Every structure is written in structure tokens, then in C-alpha cells.
Amino acid sequence: MDRVRLSVVVLGILVLSGCRATQLAYNPHPMSVAYGNADLQSVAMEGERQSKHRVAPASVQDYAFFQKNSLAQRWLGKPKHKALAIGTPQACSRYYSSWGYANGYRAATVALNNCLKGVKGFADHKKITCGCRLVAVNQTVFMTPQELPFRTRLPAIALVKDKRGRQEILGYFDTTGRTGQGQALAFLNDKERAICRGTYTLGAQSELGVAKLSCFDGRIAGEARFNIAGHLEGQAYGTGLIDAGEDKMLLVYGLSSEEFEKRRTVLTQGFE
């Protein structure tokens, strides 16, 4: 067996071993949604209380979220007390985790607080209302596999410079949220239309990702190297350039349109 295949097998064994050790359970209690600090404490208390009522075993193998999302896979092996939160509705689906706290209430509070900070920028970007919901507290999961998307979304802006002129497209990246090779990636506009589709490759500790994208039905296509320019509220942001000769597209990810304007000069240097 070659070294690459052996590494994949070992990783799979470790992930599955961690899943079994976690012994997840499902509680169908309809969890409340936190839309701001006024809701945060009550939702966190509800999460801790309901985490102690486990109705049925939950198989990690049934959840694409725990199988295909890197954050979720790492969280499974973290020590208690821990929690996972997700932005809601699905258009706001970004994930936040916590672990190693004194109790479930504190873990849930931290995860929800980080989630509310994170989705605020996305809500401003898409002009929608986002809230946060607890996915799990310790071993108890509150969402079914069908309710829990494994993909994650990032605000993004495309700056296009081609033979037709210039335009800016407000939208978002739809990704698997995983590191590794050949992960699916799409850039959609604010009307949910796919402008670009392709794949990306990102190492676990890498500051540089590479994507292969086809945009506008192939009119602008090629490789884009995404560089991290900084972090905001724990979320990395940066740029990637697709250079197809006369046609060029600069993709800015991880920033709302408002935050992008504050950094436009630096991020678009050499493009505009």
C-alpha cells in the first residue's frame, strides 16, 4: 500500500474511532434561535438542559455534516464541555464550535456568541436576518441529518474587468468547509445564480489555497490562488485572481460589502 493510501486509511480509522467514542445521541426538542444578545443566555440554558435528555442513539455515519465538514470532524474529538452552533436560515449556514469549558451552559454561550458575531457580517452582506441555533451540546445533537447542512457559506464579491467593461457582483462562496484536494466550490450572486463553479485545494495549515474555476459559462476560466489578507471576527478574508488574458476577475472572500469598502484600496491594488 502506498504512503498516500495508507495516510487516508489511518485518517479514516482515527475519525471513525473518534465518532464511536463520542457516542452521540439525538434529542428532537425544537431548539430556540438566538437573534441577539438578549436571546443568547436563554438559548444556552435551554441547550444545556436539553443535552441531558437523550431520546435515541445518533449515528455519526448518517450525518454528512460529521462526515464531510472538517470543523465537525475535529469537534468530535474535543473534550467536554463543548458545543456547536450554526447560522440560520440555511443562507447563513456557517459553523462555530467551543470545547473545554466548565459546563455545557458556558460552552453553548461561547459557541452562540461567536456565531452571532460571525453571521452579522453575512446578514449585512446579503440584507437578510440571520440567527444562531445550537447543533449540539456535548454528546447530544438537536438536528436531524436532513436539517443539518454540511456546506458552509462565506460572503464574497467579484470584481470583473473584461472586454464588456467592469462590474461588481455581490454574492457568496458555497463550499464544503473542508481542507484537502478537489473540494467543491461555487460563487453565487445575491439571487442564488451560480456565476462560477469549480474546486479548491487547501492544506490544513496553509495560508494559500488554489482553486480551478469556470465563470460565466466558461468565458472567464482558470486557476485562482487565494491569499489570506487578514482575519475579522475569527474569519479569514482575502483575494483570488483569475487571469484569462483580456478577461480578469478578482474574487474577494470573507468580507461583507461594507467591510470590503474599508479595505478596497489594499485588496484591489494592482487590479483597479
Side-chain angles (χ1 to χ4, degrees):
M1 183 180 292
D2 59 57
R3 187 175 300 175
V4 174
R5 289 177 60 199
L6 179 60
S7 299
V8 171
V9 171
V10 171
L11 176 61
I13 291 172
L14 290 173
V15 169
L16 290 177
S17 296
C19 294
R20 282 195 292 269
T22 304
Q23 296 178 339
L24 294 177
Y26 172 61
N27 181 346
H29 176 79
M31 296 295 293
S32 302
V33 176
Y35 288 100
N37 291 332
D39 310 317
L40 193 153
Q41 291 185 341
S42 62
V43 174
M45 290 177 64
E46 180 185 7
E48 181 184 43
R49 184 173 64 253
Q50 291 299 329
S51 72
K52 299 171 183 176
H53 300 288
R54 301 170 189 171
V55 175
S59 172
V60 172
Q61 285 72 28
D62 291 338
Y63 283 82
F65 174 64
F66 289 114
Q67 298 293 312
K68 298 182 179 181
N69 185 289
S70 296
L71 179 148
Q73 291 174 353
R74 290 193 298 270
W75 181 85
L76 284 172
K78 297 297 184 181
K80 59 188 300 190
H81 294 275
K82 58 187 179 180
L84 276 169
I86 180 177
T88 188
Q90 192 165 330
C92 310
S93 58
R94 292 172 61 185
Y95 301 94
Y96 298 85
S97 60
S98 65
W99 62 84
Y101 285 91
N103 52 59
Y105 167 73
R106 180 60 182 155
T109 299
V110 171
L112 286 167
N113 185 54
N114 290 338
C115 180
L116 287 170
K117 289 179 181 178
V119 298
K120 182 182 183 302
F122 201 76
D124 294 342
H125 183 73
K126 290 204 70 180
K127 305 297 186 290
I128 59 176
T129 299
C130 295
C132 289
R133 179 181 175 185
L134 285 170
V135 171
V137 174
N138 290 323
Q139 286 76 31
T140 306
V141 181
F142 304 114
M143 299 175 72
T144 66
Q146 294 73 31
E147 293 175 314
L148 186 56
F150 70 86
R151 300 179 73 84
T152 188
R153 294 181 170 185
L154 288 175
I157 301 157
L159 285 73
V160 182
K161 185 167 59 175
D162 61 11
K163 295 183 287 291
R164 303 182 184 187
R166 293 172 178 255
Q167 63 173 315
E168 293 186 13
I169 304 171
L170 189 71
Y172 63 90
F173 278 146
D174 186 60
T175 82
T176 63
R178 300 185 75 182
T179 55
Q181 295 187 346
Q183 300 298 315
L185 173 67
F187 171 68
L188 291 82
N189 66 12
D190 57 358
K191 295 181 174 59
E192 305 286 322
R193 175 176 172 258
I195 304 299
C196 303
R197 290 194 182 277
T199 61
Y200 71 92
T201 296
L202 181 67
Q205 306 300 323
S206 178
E207 293 290 304
L208 174 67
V210 179
K212 293 181 179 179
L213 293 170
S214 177
C215 308
F216 302 108
D217 298 320
R219 182 162 57 84
I220 300 179
E223 185 176 273
R225 292 186 174 273
F226 285 89
N227 294 287
I228 296 177
H231 291 79
L232 182 67
E233 300 288 1
Q235 172 61 57
Y237 67 86
T239 60
L241 174 66
I242 303 175
D243 189 343
E246 291 185 67
D247 300 328
K248 296 177 175 61
M249 175 186 286
L250 183 70
L251 291 161
V252 181
Y253 68 92
L255 292 174
S256 67
S257 52
E258 179 180 346
E259 294 294 339
F260 166 63
E261 289 301 332
K262 297 177 184 177
R263 300 164 178 81
R264 175 187 282 270
T265 301
V266 173
L267 294 174
T268 63
Q269 189 172 11
F271 183 81
E272 292 189 330

